[in-house]
Amino acid sequence: MARSATRLAAMTESAPYRVLARKYRPQRFDQLIGQDAMVQTLGNAIRRGRLAHAFLMTGVRGVGKTSTARLIAKALNCIGEDGQGGPTIDPCGVCEPCKAIAEGRHIDVVEMDAASHTGVDDVREIIEAVRYAAVSARYKIYIIDEVHMLSKNAFNALLKTLEEPPAHVKFLFATTEVNKVPITVLSRCQRFDLRRISAELLAQHFAHVVEAEEVAAEPEALALIARAAEGSARDGLSILDQAIAHAGAEASGVSAAQVREMLGLSDRGAVRRLFALLLSGDAPAVLAALAEQHVLGVEPAALFRGLLEAVHGITRAKAGGVPDPAQSVEERQALDAWAGKLGHATLHRLWQLLLKGLSEVETTAMPMEAAEMALLRVVHASSLPDPGELLRRLQSGEPMPALDAAPPVAPAAGGSGPSASVVAVAPAPPVVRAPESFAALVEAVSGRHAHLAQQLHDYASVIRYAPPELELCPRRPIDGHVAKALDDIAPIGWKVVMSDQPGAPTLREQELAAKADEDRAIRESPVVAAVFAAFPGAELIEDDQRSIA
């Protein structure tokens, strides 16, 4: 046993563990995830011999900027397996330059971290070295990571060399904050914006990684890790490495429950149950569900983000958006069901309430208390009708929500005191009234049919407004069934006639005319007229308040 332990220790010392982010760093261009446009551009440039002297890679962390720079270095210096090859978009990976560059030991490929070499003296060393030809490679290549960290003097010292470097020198820059790179440097580089990697592509990549590592993992677990990575392959591989270690020797491998526990995420099923309780207005149950998640270690901010994701998913489903591939079948079915029941106004109100709640939770010293108050605010708001519904009730004479609970009562004739019998007074049948003007009608329509209301506002010239009859002269085609939409607002059996007879100006034309009159009145006022006389080049501009510039 002692001998086995010694052998294991020797193996551990000779082959130290490499984290997944390093082990699965791209070694070929076809291994770069989600950067097809950049690879195509580079490939065409290499094949046609149109190579720039300086490249700038920018993008969020972990999308492959430094890896791309090393791949470009290999592509430019590869000599092929037979030693006779030239620059290629598919470096062989077996020739000495390719292997030396991949291992970071090639004498002609110099990597510099600008975060620790920010001064002009560091750049002066590069300027002095570029005069000499490459020792063994085709090109001498300088890879400067986080180039935005260079000082202003260092950038200025590099400019002339960067603009006219020797033919044997190439510069490769990488940065996460391209806005901090001087425009004089940007104009001398060929820029590539590396895209943030989608969660779907990351989940597929992680599936290949766990397969190569011979580790089992649930697809939902990989989707959670891909979401948490926020477009960064390196961050995702680091989280996956941690998840594999967290799972240990369990036969089931990496599970979604373990990933949620590790990342402090709320179970999406729990989020959906909480969302259902919010819609039902069950305040005690909402507080109990929040407390349960808190005991499980879920941060209130994470819970609010989950609720916001649910509202966003419902709104996308209602708008006919493409489903998120990372969602489970149960989640998609639940979101589709809610999308069929909730209106756009309700969803937008929920989004604003939850977004405000998240802001309060993240900034307060008492996040749990802030979470309870924010959720109770959502509970009470869920029972209120939206503004369009309130307007419809007002116009139709229906009672408001506060009057629905108890009908008014009146004492019986001759009765008094506690023994008097009471009878319920039946509410009078609601009287449906149409809006008094066409403008009021359009305002009412906007609550339920915003697109139609906009067309009526901009294109409809009114010939006759006598509810339930309405005669219009459309300046442009008006979509939809106008009469049906009007009956949704005031069900009085509307009869809408489209005519080619001239009518009154449209509401938009009336507003423009009123604005023109207002501008004319302002210009003709003595004070403003004096200002324009003193300053001939002045203009009347409109802001939150009228001002003269």
Side-chain angles (χ1 to χ4, degrees), residues 273-298:
R273 289 191 293 273
L274 177 58
F275 188 73
L277 293 174
L278 288 172
L279 294 180
S280 66
D282 192 343
V286 167
L287 295 178
L290 176 63
E292 179 184 354
Q293 293 296 303
H294 186 64
V295 171
L296 293 174
V298 179

mmCIF file with all atom_site columns, all heavy atoms in Angstrom, residues 273-298:
data_model
loop_
_atom_site.group_PDB
_atom_site.id
_atom_site.type_symbol
_atom_site.label_atom_id
_atom_site.label_alt_id
_atom_site.label_comp_id
_atom_site.label_asym_id
_atom_site.label_entity_id
_atom_site.label_seq_id
_atom_site.pdbx_PDB_ins_code
_atom_site.Cartn_x
_atom_site.Cartn_y
_atom_site.Cartn_z
_atom_site.occupancy
_atom_site.B_iso_or_equiv
_atom_site.pdbx_formal_charge
_atom_site.auth_seq_id
_atom_site.auth_comp_id
_atom_site.auth_asym_id
_atom_site.auth_atom_id
_atom_site.pdbx_PDB_model_num
ATOM 1   N N   . ARG A 1 273 ? -43.411 28.937 -8.547  1.00 0.00 ? 273 ARG A N   1
ATOM 2   C CA  . ARG A 1 273 ? -44.430 28.839 -7.485  1.00 0.00 ? 273 ARG A CA  1
ATOM 3   C C   . ARG A 1 273 ? -44.610 30.185 -6.793  1.00 0.00 ? 273 ARG A C   1
ATOM 4   O O   . ARG A 1 273 ? -45.748 30.592 -6.495  1.00 0.00 ? 273 ARG A O   1
ATOM 5   C CB  . ARG A 1 273 ? -44.015 27.765 -6.478  1.00 0.00 ? 273 ARG A CB  1
ATOM 6   C CG  . ARG A 1 273 ? -44.112 26.337 -7.022  1.00 0.00 ? 273 ARG A CG  1
ATOM 7   C CD  . ARG A 1 273 ? -43.958 25.317 -5.925  1.00 0.00 ? 273 ARG A CD  1
ATOM 8   N NE  . ARG A 1 273 ? -42.616 25.311 -5.354  1.00 0.00 ? 273 ARG A NE  1
ATOM 9   C CZ  . ARG A 1 273 ? -41.602 24.603 -5.837  1.00 0.00 ? 273 ARG A CZ  1
ATOM 10  N NH1 . ARG A 1 273 ? -41.771 23.847 -6.916  1.00 0.00 ? 273 ARG A NH1 1
ATOM 11  N NH2 . ARG A 1 273 ? -40.419 24.639 -5.252  1.00 0.00 ? 273 ARG A NH2 1
ATOM 12  N N   . LEU A 1 274 ? -43.527 30.878 -6.537  1.00 0.00 ? 274 LEU A N   1
ATOM 13  C CA  . LEU A 1 274 ? -43.625 32.200 -5.918  1.00 0.00 ? 274 LEU A CA  1
ATOM 14  C C   . LEU A 1 274 ? -44.341 33.178 -6.840  1.00 0.00 ? 274 LEU A C   1
ATOM 15  O O   . LEU A 1 274 ? -45.161 33.990 -6.390  1.00 0.00 ? 274 LEU A O   1
ATOM 16  C CB  . LEU A 1 274 ? -42.227 32.716 -5.569  1.00 0.00 ? 274 LEU A CB  1
ATOM 17  C CG  . LEU A 1 274 ? -42.151 34.125 -4.972  1.00 0.00 ? 274 LEU A CG  1
ATOM 18  C CD1 . LEU A 1 274 ? -42.978 34.214 -3.692  1.00 0.00 ? 274 LEU A CD1 1
ATOM 19  C CD2 . LEU A 1 274 ? -40.702 34.517 -4.701  1.00 0.00 ? 274 LEU A CD2 1
ATOM 20  N N   . PHE A 1 275 ? -44.063 33.099 -8.129  1.00 0.00 ? 275 PHE A N   1
ATOM 21  C CA  . PHE A 1 275 ? -44.719 33.986 -9.083  1.00 0.00 ? 275 PHE A CA  1
ATOM 22  C C   . PHE A 1 275 ? -46.229 33.734 -9.104  1.00 0.00 ? 275 PHE A C   1
ATOM 23  O O   . PHE A 1 275 ? -47.025 34.680 -9.166  1.00 0.00 ? 275 PHE A O   1
ATOM 24  C CB  . PHE A 1 275 ? -44.119 33.774 -10.467 1.00 0.00 ? 275 PHE A CB  1
ATOM 25  C CG  . PHE A 1 275 ? -44.596 34.766 -11.492 1.00 0.00 ? 275 PHE A CG  1
ATOM 26  C CD1 . PHE A 1 275 ? -44.168 36.075 -11.477 1.00 0.00 ? 275 PHE A CD1 1
ATOM 27  C CD2 . PHE A 1 275 ? -45.494 34.386 -12.484 1.00 0.00 ? 275 PHE A CD2 1
ATOM 28  C CE1 . PHE A 1 275 ? -44.606 36.987 -12.424 1.00 0.00 ? 275 PHE A CE1 1
ATOM 29  C CE2 . PHE A 1 275 ? -45.941 35.284 -13.431 1.00 0.00 ? 275 PHE A CE2 1
ATOM 30  C CZ  . PHE A 1 275 ? -45.495 36.589 -13.403 1.00 0.00 ? 275 PHE A CZ  1
ATOM 31  N N   . ALA A 1 276 ? -46.623 32.466 -9.043  1.00 0.00 ? 276 ALA A N   1
ATOM 32  C CA  . ALA A 1 276 ? -48.046 32.134 -9.010  1.00 0.00 ? 276 ALA A CA  1
ATOM 33  C C   . ALA A 1 276 ? -48.701 32.687 -7.749  1.00 0.00 ? 276 ALA A C   1
ATOM 34  O O   . ALA A 1 276 ? -49.836 33.185 -7.784  1.00 0.00 ? 276 ALA A O   1
ATOM 35  C CB  . ALA A 1 276 ? -48.235 30.626 -9.094  1.00 0.00 ? 276 ALA A CB  1
ATOM 36  N N   . LEU A 1 277 ? -48.000 32.625 -6.616  1.00 0.00 ? 277 LEU A N   1
ATOM 37  C CA  . LEU A 1 277 ? -48.543 33.174 -5.370  1.00 0.00 ? 277 LEU A CA  1
ATOM 38  C C   . LEU A 1 277 ? -48.689 34.691 -5.463  1.00 0.00 ? 277 LEU A C   1
ATOM 39  O O   . LEU A 1 277 ? -49.646 35.262 -4.929  1.00 0.00 ? 277 LEU A O   1
ATOM 40  C CB  . LEU A 1 277 ? -47.628 32.805 -4.202  1.00 0.00 ? 277 LEU A CB  1
ATOM 41  C CG  . LEU A 1 277 ? -47.565 31.313 -3.842  1.00 0.00 ? 277 LEU A CG  1
ATOM 42  C CD1 . LEU A 1 277 ? -46.509 31.069 -2.779  1.00 0.00 ? 277 LEU A CD1 1
ATOM 43  C CD2 . LEU A 1 277 ? -48.928 30.820 -3.354  1.00 0.00 ? 277 LEU A CD2 1
ATOM 44  N N   . LEU A 1 278 ? -47.741 35.358 -6.118  1.00 0.00 ? 278 LEU A N   1
ATOM 45  C CA  . LEU A 1 278 ? -47.849 36.808 -6.296  1.00 0.00 ? 278 LEU A CA  1
ATOM 46  C C   . LEU A 1 278 ? -49.086 37.161 -7.113  1.00 0.00 ? 278 LEU A C   1
ATOM 47  O O   . LEU A 1 278 ? -49.805 38.109 -6.781  1.00 0.00 ? 278 LEU A O   1
ATOM 48  C CB  . LEU A 1 278 ? -46.596 37.340 -7.000  1.00 0.00 ? 278 LEU A CB  1
ATOM 49  C CG  . LEU A 1 278 ? -45.303 37.386 -6.187  1.00 0.00 ? 278 LEU A CG  1
ATOM 50  C CD1 . LEU A 1 278 ? -44.125 37.741 -7.088  1.00 0.00 ? 278 LEU A CD1 1
ATOM 51  C CD2 . LEU A 1 278 ? -45.411 38.379 -5.044  1.00 0.00 ? 278 LEU A CD2 1
ATOM 52  N N   . LEU A 1 279 ? -49.339 36.391 -8.165  1.00 0.00 ? 279 LEU A N   1
ATOM 53  C CA  . LEU A 1 279 ? -50.503 36.681 -9.009  1.00 0.00 ? 279 LEU A CA  1
ATOM 54  C C   . LEU A 1 279 ? -51.810 36.406 -8.281  1.00 0.00 ? 279 LEU A C   1
ATOM 55  O O   . LEU A 1 279 ? -52.813 37.077 -8.514  1.00 0.00 ? 279 LEU A O   1
ATOM 56  C CB  . LEU A 1 279 ? -50.432 35.853 -10.296 1.00 0.00 ? 279 LEU A CB  1
ATOM 57  C CG  . LEU A 1 279 ? -49.287 36.174 -11.258 1.00 0.00 ? 279 LEU A CG  1
ATOM 58  C CD1 . LEU A 1 279 ? -49.354 35.263 -12.473 1.00 0.00 ? 279 LEU A CD1 1
ATOM 59  C CD2 . LEU A 1 279 ? -49.333 37.634 -11.699 1.00 0.00 ? 279 LEU A CD2 1
ATOM 60  N N   . SER A 1 280 ? -51.805 35.409 -7.389  1.00 0.00 ? 280 SER A N   1
ATOM 61  C CA  . SER A 1 280 ? -53.026 35.088 -6.653  1.00 0.00 ? 280 SER A CA  1
ATOM 62  C C   . SER A 1 280 ? -53.291 36.059 -5.509  1.00 0.00 ? 280 SER A C   1
ATOM 63  O O   . SER A 1 280 ? -54.384 36.056 -4.946  1.00 0.00 ? 280 SER A O   1
ATOM 64  C CB  . SER A 1 280 ? -52.943 33.661 -6.107  1.00 0.00 ? 280 SER A CB  1
ATOM 65  O OG  . SER A 1 280 ? -51.914 33.565 -5.116  1.00 0.00 ? 280 SER A OG  1
ATOM 66  N N   . GLY A 1 281 ? -52.291 36.878 -5.159  1.00 0.00 ? 281 GLY A N   1
ATOM 67  C CA  . GLY A 1 281 ? -52.477 37.850 -4.076  1.00 0.00 ? 281 GLY A CA  1
ATOM 68  C C   . GLY A 1 281 ? -52.458 37.238 -2.693  1.00 0.00 ? 281 GLY A C   1
ATOM 69  O O   . GLY A 1 281 ? -52.977 37.844 -1.752  1.00 0.00 ? 281 GLY A O   1
ATOM 70  N N   . ASP A 1 282 ? -51.838 36.073 -2.539  1.00 0.00 ? 282 ASP A N   1
ATOM 71  C CA  . ASP A 1 282 ? -51.775 35.397 -1.239  1.00 0.00 ? 282 ASP A CA  1
ATOM 72  C C   . ASP A 1 282 ? -50.553 35.898 -0.478  1.00 0.00 ? 282 ASP A C   1
ATOM 73  O O   . ASP A 1 282 ? -49.456 35.327 -0.565  1.00 0.00 ? 282 ASP A O   1
ATOM 74  C CB  . ASP A 1 282 ? -51.702 33.886 -1.455  1.00 0.00 ? 282 ASP A CB  1
ATOM 75  C CG  . ASP A 1 282 ? -51.940 33.102 -0.169  1.00 0.00 ? 282 ASP A CG  1
ATOM 76  O OD1 . ASP A 1 282 ? -51.831 33.709 0.916   1.00 0.00 ? 282 ASP A OD1 1
ATOM 77  O OD2 . ASP A 1 282 ? -52.211 31.888 -0.256  1.00 0.00 ? 282 ASP A OD2 1
ATOM 78  N N   . ALA A 1 283 ? -50.718 36.970 0.291   1.00 0.00 ? 283 ALA A N   1
ATOM 79  C CA  . ALA A 1 283 ? -49.589 37.596 0.977   1.00 0.00 ? 283 ALA A CA  1
ATOM 80  C C   . ALA A 1 283 ? -48.912 36.660 1.983   1.00 0.00 ? 283 ALA A C   1
ATOM 81  O O   . ALA A 1 283 ? -47.680 36.561 2.000   1.00 0.00 ? 283 ALA A O   1
ATOM 82  C CB  . ALA A 1 283 ? -50.040 38.890 1.643   1.00 0.00 ? 283 ALA A CB  1
ATOM 83  N N   . PRO A 1 284 ? -49.650 35.970 2.882   1.00 0.00 ? 284 PRO A N   1
ATOM 84  C CA  . PRO A 1 284 ? -48.964 35.072 3.825   1.00 0.00 ? 284 PRO A CA  1
ATOM 85  C C   . PRO A 1 284 ? -48.149 33.983 3.130   1.00 0.00 ? 284 PRO A C   1
ATOM 86  O O   . PRO A 1 284 ? -47.035 33.666 3.553   1.00 0.00 ? 284 PRO A O   1
ATOM 87  C CB  . PRO A 1 284 ? -50.127 34.470 4.642   1.00 0.00 ? 284 PRO A CB  1
ATOM 88  C CG  . PRO A 1 284 ? -51.234 35.461 4.515   1.00 0.00 ? 284 PRO A CG  1
ATOM 89  C CD  . PRO A 1 284 ? -51.101 36.027 3.145   1.00 0.00 ? 284 PRO A CD  1
ATOM 90  N N   . ALA A 1 285 ? -48.706 33.403 2.068   1.00 0.00 ? 285 ALA A N   1
ATOM 91  C CA  . ALA A 1 285 ? -47.978 32.358 1.356   1.00 0.00 ? 285 ALA A CA  1
ATOM 92  C C   . ALA A 1 285 ? -46.729 32.917 0.675   1.00 0.00 ? 285 ALA A C   1
ATOM 93  O O   . ALA A 1 285 ? -45.690 32.249 0.605   1.00 0.00 ? 285 ALA A O   1
ATOM 94  C CB  . ALA A 1 285 ? -48.895 31.690 0.323   1.00 0.00 ? 285 ALA A CB  1
ATOM 95  N N   . VAL A 1 286 ? -46.802 34.153 0.169   1.00 0.00 ? 286 VAL A N   1
ATOM 96  C CA  . VAL A 1 286 ? -45.637 34.780 -0.458  1.00 0.00 ? 286 VAL A CA  1
ATOM 97  C C   . VAL A 1 286 ? -44.522 34.966 0.559   1.00 0.00 ? 286 VAL A C   1
ATOM 98  O O   . VAL A 1 286 ? -43.347 34.660 0.304   1.00 0.00 ? 286 VAL A O   1
ATOM 99  C CB  . VAL A 1 286 ? -46.043 36.130 -1.091  1.00 0.00 ? 286 VAL A CB  1
ATOM 100 C CG1 . VAL A 1 286 ? -44.800 36.949 -1.461  1.00 0.00 ? 286 VAL A CG1 1
ATOM 101 C CG2 . VAL A 1 286 ? -46.879 35.906 -2.335  1.00 0.00 ? 286 VAL A CG2 1
ATOM 102 N N   . LEU A 1 287 ? -44.871 35.483 1.745   1.00 0.00 ? 287 LEU A N   1
ATOM 103 C CA  . LEU A 1 287 ? -43.858 35.684 2.778   1.00 0.00 ? 287 LEU A CA  1
ATOM 104 C C   . LEU A 1 287 ? -43.260 34.358 3.230   1.00 0.00 ? 287 LEU A C   1
ATOM 105 O O   . LEU A 1 287 ? -42.051 34.267 3.484   1.00 0.00 ? 287 LEU A O   1
ATOM 106 C CB  . LEU A 1 287 ? -44.468 36.431 3.969   1.00 0.00 ? 287 LEU A CB  1
ATOM 107 C CG  . LEU A 1 287 ? -44.939 37.866 3.688   1.00 0.00 ? 287 LEU A CG  1
ATOM 108 C CD1 . LEU A 1 287 ? -45.557 38.477 4.933   1.00 0.00 ? 287 LEU A CD1 1
ATOM 109 C CD2 . LEU A 1 287 ? -43.779 38.729 3.191   1.00 0.00 ? 287 LEU A CD2 1
ATOM 110 N N   . ALA A 1 288 ? -44.090 33.320 3.330   1.00 0.00 ? 288 ALA A N   1
ATOM 111 C CA  . ALA A 1 288 ? -43.586 32.004 3.733   1.00 0.00 ? 288 ALA A CA  1
ATOM 112 C C   . ALA A 1 288 ? -42.634 31.438 2.686   1.00 0.00 ? 288 ALA A C   1
ATOM 113 O O   . ALA A 1 288 ? -41.584 30.865 3.015   1.00 0.00 ? 288 ALA A O   1
ATOM 114 C CB  . ALA A 1 288 ? -44.756 31.051 3.967   1.00 0.00 ? 288 ALA A CB  1
ATOM 115 N N   . ALA A 1 289 ? -42.973 31.599 1.402   1.00 0.00 ? 289 ALA A N   1
ATOM 116 C CA  . ALA A 1 289 ? -42.102 31.099 0.334   1.00 0.00 ? 289 ALA A CA  1
ATOM 117 C C   . ALA A 1 289 ? -40.782 31.856 0.312   1.00 0.00 ? 289 ALA A C   1
ATOM 118 O O   . ALA A 1 289 ? -39.712 31.258 0.098   1.00 0.00 ? 289 ALA A O   1
ATOM 119 C CB  . ALA A 1 289 ? -42.811 31.233 -1.012  1.00 0.00 ? 289 ALA A CB  1
ATOM 120 N N   . LEU A 1 290 ? -40.826 33.164 0.556   1.00 0.00 ? 290 LEU A N   1
ATOM 121 C CA  . LEU A 1 290 ? -39.592 33.948 0.609   1.00 0.00 ? 290 LEU A CA  1
ATOM 122 C C   . LEU A 1 290 ? -38.718 33.494 1.764   1.00 0.00 ? 290 LEU A C   1
ATOM 123 O O   . LEU A 1 290 ? -37.500 33.332 1.608   1.00 0.00 ? 290 LEU A O   1
ATOM 124 C CB  . LEU A 1 290 ? -39.930 35.438 0.735   1.00 0.00 ? 290 LEU A CB  1
ATOM 125 C CG  . LEU A 1 290 ? -38.749 36.394 0.896   1.00 0.00 ? 290 LEU A CG  1
ATOM 126 C CD1 . LEU A 1 290 ? -37.855 36.344 -0.335  1.00 0.00 ? 290 LEU A CD1 1
ATOM 127 C CD2 . LEU A 1 290 ? -39.240 37.821 1.141   1.00 0.00 ? 290 LEU A CD2 1
ATOM 128 N N   . ALA A 1 291 ? -39.327 33.265 2.937   1.00 0.00 ? 291 ALA A N   1
ATOM 129 C CA  . ALA A 1 291 ? -38.566 32.804 4.097   1.00 0.00 ? 291 ALA A CA  1
ATOM 130 C C   . ALA A 1 291 ? -37.954 31.427 3.841   1.00 0.00 ? 291 ALA A C   1
ATOM 131 O O   . ALA A 1 291 ? -36.819 31.156 4.241   1.00 0.00 ? 291 ALA A O   1
ATOM 132 C CB  . ALA A 1 291 ? -39.476 32.775 5.320   1.00 0.00 ? 291 ALA A CB  1
ATOM 133 N N   . GLU A 1 292 ? -38.693 30.563 3.148   1.00 0.00 ? 292 GLU A N   1
ATOM 134 C CA  . GLU A 1 292 ? -38.173 29.229 2.846   1.00 0.00 ? 292 GLU A CA  1
ATOM 135 C C   . GLU A 1 292 ? -36.931 29.312 1.953   1.00 0.00 ? 292 GLU A C   1
ATOM 136 O O   . GLU A 1 292 ? -35.928 28.618 2.196   1.00 0.00 ? 292 GLU A O   1
ATOM 137 C CB  . GLU A 1 292 ? -39.260 28.412 2.142   1.00 0.00 ? 292 GLU A CB  1
ATOM 138 C CG  . GLU A 1 292 ? -38.818 27.008 1.752   1.00 0.00 ? 292 GLU A CG  1
ATOM 139 C CD  . GLU A 1 292 ? -39.887 26.267 0.976   1.00 0.00 ? 292 GLU A CD  1
ATOM 140 O OE1 . GLU A 1 292 ? -41.010 26.810 0.847   1.00 0.00 ? 292 GLU A OE1 1
ATOM 141 O OE2 . GLU A 1 292 ? -39.611 25.154 0.501   1.00 0.00 ? 292 GLU A OE2 1
ATOM 142 N N   . GLN A 1 293 ? -36.968 30.165 0.938   1.00 0.00 ? 293 GLN A N   1
ATOM 143 C CA  . GLN A 1 293 ? -35.815 30.328 0.074   1.00 0.00 ? 293 GLN A CA  1
ATOM 144 C C   . GLN A 1 293 ? -34.628 30.949 0.821   1.00 0.00 ? 293 GLN A C   1
ATOM 145 O O   . GLN A 1 293 ? -33.472 30.604 0.582   1.00 0.00 ? 293 GLN A O   1
ATOM 146 C CB  . GLN A 1 293 ? -36.177 31.204 -1.135  1.00 0.00 ? 293 GLN A CB  1
ATOM 147 C CG  . GLN A 1 293 ? -37.166 30.561 -2.086  1.00 0.00 ? 293 GLN A CG  1
ATOM 148 C CD  . GLN A 1 293 ? -36.600 29.312 -2.741  1.00 0.00 ? 293 GLN A CD  1
ATOM 149 O OE1 . GLN A 1 293 ? -35.565 29.344 -3.383  1.00 0.00 ? 293 GLN A OE1 1
ATOM 150 N NE2 . GLN A 1 293 ? -37.276 28.193 -2.535  1.00 0.00 ? 293 GLN A NE2 1
ATOM 151 N N   . HIS A 1 294 ? -34.935 31.838 1.744   1.00 0.00 ? 294 HIS A N   1
ATOM 152 C CA  . HIS A 1 294 ? -33.873 32.471 2.537   1.00 0.00 ? 294 HIS A CA  1
ATOM 153 C C   . HIS A 1 294 ? -33.167 31.444 3.412   1.00 0.00 ? 294 HIS A C   1
ATOM 154 O O   . HIS A 1 294 ? -31.934 31.468 3.543   1.00 0.00 ? 294 HIS A O   1
ATOM 155 C CB  . HIS A 1 294 ? -34.468 33.596 3.393   1.00 0.00 ? 294 HIS A CB  1
ATOM 156 C CG  . HIS A 1 294 ? -33.438 34.405 4.127   1.00 0.00 ? 294 HIS A CG  1
ATOM 157 N ND1 . HIS A 1 294 ? -32.506 35.173 3.487   1.00 0.00 ? 294 HIS A ND1 1
ATOM 158 C CD2 . HIS A 1 294 ? -33.195 34.546 5.458   1.00 0.00 ? 294 HIS A CD2 1
ATOM 159 C CE1 . HIS A 1 294 ? -31.733 35.769 4.376   1.00 0.00 ? 294 HIS A CE1 1
ATOM 160 N NE2 . HIS A 1 294 ? -32.126 35.403 5.586   1.00 0.00 ? 294 HIS A NE2 1
ATOM 161 N N   . VAL A 1 295 ? -33.941 30.529 4.004   1.00 0.00 ? 295 VAL A N   1
ATOM 162 C CA  . VAL A 1 295 ? -33.355 29.467 4.827   1.00 0.00 ? 295 VAL A CA  1
ATOM 163 C C   . VAL A 1 295 ? -32.463 28.568 3.981   1.00 0.00 ? 295 VAL A C   1
ATOM 164 O O   . VAL A 1 295 ? -31.411 28.086 4.447   1.00 0.00 ? 295 VAL A O   1
ATOM 165 C CB  . VAL A 1 295 ? -34.471 28.656 5.518   1.00 0.00 ? 295 VAL A CB  1
ATOM 166 C CG1 . VAL A 1 295 ? -33.911 27.413 6.188   1.00 0.00 ? 295 VAL A CG1 1
ATOM 167 C CG2 . VAL A 1 295 ? -35.195 29.522 6.540   1.00 0.00 ? 295 VAL A CG2 1
ATOM 168 N N   . LEU A 1 296 ? -32.843 28.346 2.722   1.00 0.00 ? 296 LEU A N   1
ATOM 169 C CA  . LEU A 1 296 ? -32.052 27.496 1.837   1.00 0.00 ? 296 LEU A CA  1
ATOM 170 C C   . LEU A 1 296 ? -30.784 28.183 1.348   1.00 0.00 ? 296 LEU A C   1
ATOM 171 O O   . LEU A 1 296 ? -29.966 27.569 0.665   1.00 0.00 ? 296 LEU A O   1
ATOM 172 C CB  . LEU A 1 296 ? -32.895 27.069 0.629   1.00 0.00 ? 296 LEU A CB  1
ATOM 173 C CG  . LEU A 1 296 ? -34.068 26.124 0.937   1.00 0.00 ? 296 LEU A CG  1
ATOM 174 C CD1 . LEU A 1 296 ? -34.895 25.892 -0.315  1.00 0.00 ? 296 LEU A CD1 1
ATOM 175 C CD2 . LEU A 1 296 ? -33.562 24.801 1.493   1.00 0.00 ? 296 LEU A CD2 1
ATOM 176 N N   . GLY A 1 297 ? -30.611 29.462 1.703   1.00 0.00 ? 297 GLY A N   1
ATOM 177 C CA  . GLY A 1 297 ? -29.399 30.181 1.313   1.00 0.00 ? 297 GLY A CA  1
ATOM 178 C C   . GLY A 1 297 ? -29.522 30.995 0.049   1.00 0.00 ? 297 GLY A C   1
ATOM 179 O O   . GLY A 1 297 ? -28.510 31.497 -0.458  1.00 0.00 ? 297 GLY A O   1
ATOM 180 N N   . VAL A 1 298 ? -30.728 31.136 -0.487  1.00 0.00 ? 298 VAL A N   1
ATOM 181 C CA  . VAL A 1 298 ? -30.918 31.917 -1.717  1.00 0.00 ? 298 VAL A CA  1
ATOM 182 C C   . VAL A 1 298 ? -30.963 33.402 -1.357  1.00 0.00 ? 298 VAL A C   1
ATOM 183 O O   . VAL A 1 298 ? -31.741 33.814 -0.490  1.00 0.00 ? 298 VAL A O   1
ATOM 184 C CB  . VAL A 1 298 ? -32.219 31.509 -2.434  1.00 0.00 ? 298 VAL A CB  1
ATOM 185 C CG1 . VAL A 1 298 ? -32.421 32.350 -3.690  1.00 0.00 ? 298 VAL A CG1 1
ATOM 186 C CG2 . VAL A 1 298 ? -32.186 30.031 -2.773  1.00 0.00 ? 298 VAL A CG2 1
#
